[in-house]
Amino acid sequence: MPHPGRVAVIGLDSATPQLLFDRFADDMPVLTALRRRSLWGPMRSVDPPITMPAWSCMMSGRTPGELGVYGFRDRAAHDYGPLAFATSHSIKAPRIWDEMTAAGRDSVVLGVPGTYPTTPIRGAMVSCFLAPSTKAQYTSPPDLRDEIEKLTGGYALDVENFRSPELARVSQQIFDLSEQRFQVARHLATTRDWEFLSFVDMGPDRLHHGFWKYCDPEHPRHEPGNPYVNLFRDYYRALDRHIGEFLACLPENTTVLVVSDHGAQPMVGGLFINEWLRREGLLVLAEEPAGPTPMSKAKVDWKRTTAWAEGGYYGRIFLNVEGREPHGTVPAREYQDTLDRIATALEQLPDDTGRPMGTRALRPDQLYPEVNGIAPDLLVYVGNLRWRALATLGMGQGLYTTENDTGPDHANHGDTGVFLLDSPGITPGRAEGLSLYDVAPTLRELLGLPGGRLPR
């Protein structure tokens, strides 16, 4: 077992093996050199591969089912109301920094999704982009906020409205966000006592969602010769410089782990999943929408409705179960059969050209050893995550579209992120079969916490 020492985790939200390990390897000499001395490889994300809960799964070793968190928003009750936003209070399992605090050891946590509101730890915490603004108390201890604001001249929690046609503004803010995040990481790494440091840069995720079609010639809606064709390359070059500056500020023999929560890929299109439920006679409206209408504001005839959906990078289908929902129509004895019928129909649904779509409909009780909170009855990967699930009603476009329903977006999440571990005593080389669930036991092993295990 390696001697417990300092461990620094560089989190790159949405960092994708095809980009970091292949396409931009020559543009990222620092990361590529780090990879040569690391145990590294593509890393399978969680189901669903969503930022919230993936980072908390990574830092706790628990599944979304065990955490009871299935996305940024979850059902708070078996009713028909809008979903409730997940916060740090939604995460009941201890994460690595909580385990360090319990052991009387210092941590630094910066921008890790699922940390707002901040929770008391031994050390320092700057919470994530879920903080409503920098006027909120987004640091622990509280006086760290003034220090961060003075250092940065105005701390950026995120790229403002990154799903926007204002491409020049968004691209500049993505570059600025990453530069500032690494600046703060260097500051905390060199001014605080710590044995464990973990931070997340959301820049790659915002870049992918805002600019994939402009930078990837393989994207179905790529525009050759557009002014942003080299933006990915320029960004990853800048990111590599930031990584180099951060590594240079670390004490000698610090273990470094570079990870992402999920990957990314071109968004082929979108499926209006509630319109599909309507066509199947499973969702019945009491009143036709006058225009684009989110599911939470639609006039639904619940006494005649079998199922409804929420959208996003993956779809969530909820059954209207007798005795569970206020106006439930599905008898408990027919629950499994109803799910089977919906899952089979979705998986057989062709794309807009009539070709097989490859949709997968997954059941929580088959995915997770334990199902807490209120899970979707079905998790739907439209086109196996190549298509977005669109919940909006009243768009008047049939079932399929090439665009997103909540603002410009042409990337969808992929189920594979990255893992690079540079640690004294680790044998470098490519590892196969890495899982996001390997991260927490790896960190415990490196930090000398109970329950440690290195990936093989």
Side-chain angles (χ1 to χ4, degrees):
M1 169 180 164
H3 178 71
R6 292 187 193 230
V7 179
V9 178
I10 302 172
L12 304 175
D13 198 280
S14 186
T16 302
Q18 297 93 318
L19 300 182
L20 266 63
F21 297 161
D22 300 322
R23 184 175 169 191
F24 297 115
D26 292 341
D27 295 287
M28 303 187 76
V30 173
L31 190 74
T32 299
L34 180 70
R35 180 155 52 105
R36 290 195 189 103
R37 60 180 188 265
S38 295
L39 179 72
W40 66 277
M43 180 179 77
R44 179 65 162 82
S45 184
V46 300
D47 288 301
I50 300 293
T51 299
M52 183 78 169
W55 287 108
S56 290
C57 294
M58 184 190 295
M59 290 294 157
S60 67
R62 308 292 180 88
T63 66
E66 290 169 292
L67 296 178
V69 177
Y70 305 94
F72 284 107
R73 299 175 304 135
D74 291 296
R75 291 182 82 185
H78 283 290
D79 57 20
Y80 309 119
L83 303 185
F85 278 97
T87 71
S88 61
H89 299 317
S90 309
I91 310 298
K92 307 300 184 190
R95 289 171 279 187
I96 296 295
W97 50 82
D98 299 314
E99 296 176 29
M100 290 290 284
T101 295
R105 299 165 66 189
D106 295 313
S107 301
V108 167
V109 180
L110 166 63
V112 180
T115 54
Y116 183 82
T118 56
T119 50
I121 65 168
R122 182 175 167 124
M125 178 181 284
V126 181
S127 70
C128 63
F129 64 90
L130 294 175
S133 77
T134 51
K135 293 178 182 175
Q137 187 51 64
Y138 69 93
T139 68
S140 177
D143 59 3
L144 177 57
R145 180 173 63 172
D146 293 338
E147 184 181 335
I148 297 295
E149 293 294 330
K150 184 177 178 183
L151 172 73
T152 59
Y155 184 66
L157 292 161
D158 198 358
V159 174
E160 184 182 345
N161 188 20
F162 65 90
R163 288 194 186 93
S164 163
E166 303 171 279
L167 299 182
R169 173 191 65 79
V170 173
S171 62
Q172 186 60 55
Q173 285 190 0
I174 290 169
F175 277 72
D176 292 348
L177 179 78
S178 292
E179 181 175 353
Q180 188 190 81
R181 191 59 49 91
F182 276 85
Q183 174 197 18
V184 176
R186 293 194 307 272
H187 173 76
L188 294 174
T190 53
T191 61
R192 294 297 187 280
D193 290 328
W194 57 274
E195 292 180 75
F196 174 64
L197 183 151
S198 182
F199 75 98
V200 172
D201 176 19
M202 293 300 301
D205 183 83
R206 299 340 189 192
L207 178 80
H208 297 161
H209 288 304
F211 293 93
W212 198 289
K213 80 173 181 181
Y214 300 107
C215 301
D216 181 6
E218 302 300 314
H219 194 286
R221 291 179 299 287
H222 180 64
E223 301 171 9
N226 76 81
Y228 297 98
V229 71
N230 291 319
L231 191 71
F232 272 25
R233 182 202 67 191
D234 296 344
Y235 173 83
Y236 280 109
R237 285 178 175 175
L239 180 64
D240 195 63
R241 291 195 299 273
H242 300 325
I243 293 171
E245 291 169 359
F246 177 73
L247 295 178
C249 86
L250 296 176
E252 196 173 351
N253 291 327
T254 299
T255 287
V256 174
L257 178 61
V258 180
V259 283
S260 63
D261 54 334
H262 56 76
Q265 60 188 329
M267 187 184 96
V268 173
L271 171 73
F272 289 106
I273 192 164
N274 278 316
E275 293 292 0
W276 178 81
L277 288 170
R278 289 185 71 190
R279 286 197 182 187
E280 297 293 307
L282 299 166
L283 170 62
V284 179
L285 298 187
E287 186 180 302
E288 198 65 30
T293 305
M295 180 64 211
S296 61
K297 295 187 177 174
K299 300 281 195 295
V300 178
D301 185 344
W302 291 110
K303 293 181 179 178
R304 297 168 60 206
T305 287
T306 299
W308 77 101
E310 289 289 347
Y313 300 118
Y314 81 105
R316 303 190 230 189
I317 286 183
F318 304 104
L319 291 198
N320 193 22
V321 180
E322 197 174 78
R324 190 182 78 174
E325 274 74 22
H327 303 292
T329 61
V330 180
R333 66 182 180 279
E334 296 178 16
Y335 176 83
Q336 292 296 345
D337 287 346
T338 305
L339 276 189
D340 288 344
R341 285 201 310 275
I342 295 174
T344 299
L346 276 168
E347 290 175 346
Q348 292 176 349
L349 185 69
D351 68 13
D352 54 331
T353 67
R355 290 179 296 204
M357 202 172 193
T359 295
R360 296 165 62 209
L362 311 171
R363 293 160 179 74
D365 60 353
Q366 295 173 2
L367 283 177
Y368 312 122
E370 192 178 311
V371 181
N372 294 318
I374 303 179
D377 294 294
L378 281 177
L379 291 76
V380 182
Y381 293 176
V382 182
N384 199 19
L385 294 173
R386 293 186 303 274
W387 291 65
R388 188 175 169 94
L390 309 177
T392 305
L393 291 153
M395 296 287 282
Q397 292 179 248
L399 291 185
Y400 307 97
T401 180
T402 57
E403 301 300 331
N404 183 29
D405 59 344
T406 58
D409 194 338
H410 14 88
N412 220 41
H413 289 187
D415 63 12
T416 307
V418 301
F419 179 105
L420 295 90
L421 175 63
D422 176 26
S423 180
I426 289 290
T427 303
R430 182 182 171 112
E432 300 297 338
L434 290 166
S435 161
L436 183 144
Y437 296 115
D438 290 323
V439 174
T442 296
L443 292 173
R444 291 182 186 121
E445 179 78 3
L446 296 165
L447 291 162
L449 294 167
R453 172 182 50 80
L454 292 176
R456 296 174 183 176

